[in-house]
Amino acid sequence: MSMNLENLAKKVEETVKSPGNPPIDQWNPELSGDMDLRVSRDGQWIFKGEPLAREAIVRLFSTILRREEDGEYYLVTPVEKWRIQVEDTPLLAHSLQVTGEGDQQVVSLTTNVGETLEVGQHHPLEVGTYEGTEEPRPVVKIRHGVEARLVTAAYYDLAGHVVERNEGGHPVLGVFSHGIFYKIGQGG
């Protein structure tokens, strides 16, 4: 089954007329197929080998994207479900801002689709490493299993707000946001 990107975008726009994000957790259609859509590690959305030129479509699709228990990513509407390929994370986080101080500070990030998130209970920060390397992989959870990876500049900005604290007799590095400590690494 082939998919026309413009038709899907029109269907989604018709379905999602109210402000805010659509209730994709309530939508459970059967798999419609695999879409020739890939999100590269650098955040480009590529349809049939060509980068999507319309930023509005990428923004719209980011609101109907979810990662399911099988680890796969799907664009979901009330009646369609298309599997897509994601090389790392479907979104990138940049433009880090910090307000407040100490354990009461709030870390905010803006994604490449223009969404601003505050790191906290609903959008936790997790710093792992890429498999087979020690390269850090900082991500913030968005919704429905979707994550945004912090770009290098945002990660370095975050490093400027790192504090060390003692956990179980060991020094741990991390940052506070909304009163929650997010571990970034071992202290020293």
Side-chain angles (χ1 to χ4, degrees):
M1 177 178 249
S2 77
M3 164 47 50
N4 180 306
L5 204 60
E6 293 292 328
N7 286 345
L8 180 60
K10 286 177 186 171
K11 287 179 188 178
V12 172
E13 286 173 338
E14 291 168 9
T15 302
V16 184
K17 290 183 179 174
S18 59
N21 291 313
I24 67 171
D25 56 324
Q26 298 170 20
W27 300 342
N28 296 298
E30 292 293 317
L31 181 64
S32 302
D34 291 303
M35 182 184 291
D36 188 3
L37 177 63
R38 176 177 58 87
V39 182
S40 65
R41 184 173 175 183
D42 67 359
Q44 275 199 16
W45 291 54
I46 301 166
F47 181 64
K48 295 185 178 180
E50 297 292 324
L52 283 178
R54 291 188 46 209
E55 189 176 314
I57 289 180
V58 173
R59 285 180 185 212
L60 181 64
F61 284 178
S62 75
T63 68
I64 61 163
L65 180 65
R66 74 177 175 212
R67 186 175 191 187
E68 296 189 353
E69 290 180 14
D70 61 4
E72 300 284 342
Y73 289 89
Y74 300 92
L75 294 175
V76 182
T77 73
V79 296
E80 294 180 88
K81 177 178 170 180
W82 295 93
R83 183 176 19 238
I84 69 168
Q85 300 301 309
V86 176
E87 290 180 1
D88 187 1
T89 61
L91 301 175
L92 299 176
H94 56 83
S95 303
L96 182 127
Q97 293 188 338
V98 177
T99 56
E101 295 181 11
D103 63 356
Q104 295 306 305
Q105 76 183 7
V106 176
V107 176
S108 299
L109 296 159
T110 302
T111 69
N112 58 318
V113 293
E115 186 173 2
T116 300
L117 309 164
E118 292 183 354
V119 173
Q121 182 179 357
H122 298 292
H123 303 290
L125 172 70
E126 191 175 286
V127 180
T129 56
Y130 283 97
E131 193 173 314
T133 74
E134 291 301 313
E135 181 185 358
R137 185 177 181 269
V139 297
V140 62
K141 298 196 183 298
I142 307 296
R143 67 187 152 272
H144 307 296
V146 174
E147 299 171 328
R149 180 176 48 82
L150 277 68
V151 298
T152 302
Y155 187 57
Y156 286 148
D157 289 345
L158 184 69
H161 300 279
V162 167
V163 295
E164 183 176 273
R165 74 180 218 177
N166 193 323
E167 286 189 0
H170 298 91
V172 176
L173 299 175
V175 294
F176 281 98
S177 188
H178 281 290
I180 302 170
F181 183 76
Y182 294 96
K183 182 180 171 183
I184 290 181
Q186 297 299 318

